[in-house]
Amino acid sequence: QVQLVESGGGQVQAGGSLRLSCAASGSIVSTSAMRWYRQALGQQRDFVAGITTGGITGYVDSVKGRFTISRDNAKNTVILQMNSLKPEDTAVYFCNTFRDGTNYWGQGTQVTVSA
């Protein structure tokens, strides 16, 4: 059974940084593409960043140059380093992977950026 658990969310002022972690069960991170999504209050859940098993990364335009996705295969963890945070980054951030025909999600971690 695939389990994803996010942590590291919190409240910061605009311009600050947060580091989100997603701990996965088994060896999920090393054998599956991993993604971060976010969902602002009253909005749909949108793609933020992704990383393939080969280390190829992709980002939504609004976070390019500010966010970095990475993985630690030994810890079976995927990281989202968020710098230069803006109030519009405020959302619940979710870890995601698609494996063996099933889309898996973590419980989400709240990120709040104050102006």
Side-chain angles (χ1 to χ4, degrees):
Q1 183 176 349
V2 174
Q3 294 185 1
L4 305 172
V5 180
E6 303 95 333
S7 62
Q11 182 171 303
V12 297
Q13 291 185 301
S17 298
L18 283 173
R19 183 180 177 90
L20 306 184
S21 296
C22 173
S25 59
S27 58
I28 300 300
V29 171
S30 63
T31 58
S32 302
M34 304 298 297
R35 302 176 182 88
W36 286 95
Y37 284 70
R38 65 187 180 187
Q39 185 169 17
L41 184 64
Q43 304 298 311
Q44 68 180 28
R45 189 172 297 183
D46 294 327
F47 171 83
V48 176
I51 184 168
T52 70
T53 56
I56 300 173
T57 59
Y59 304 88
V60 65
D61 286 345
S62 59
V63 308
K64 288 181 178 178
R66 300 188 298 118
F67 290 11
T68 302
I69 187 171
S70 62
R71 68 184 184 199
D72 186 331
N73 290 339
K75 295 181 178 180
N76 206 29
T77 300
V78 61
I79 303 297
L80 185 67
Q81 178 66 47
M82 306 186 295
N83 299 324
S84 302
L85 283 162
K86 304 175 180 179
E88 51 262 44
D89 295 319
T90 295
V92 177
Y93 283 70
F94 296 90
C95 185
N96 164 264
T97 191
F98 185 80
R99 186 181 180 90
D100 297 331
T102 302
N103 210 8
Y104 295 93
W105 300 92
Q107 84 289 347
T109 185
Q110 176 70 50
V111 171
T112 302
V113 184
S114 302

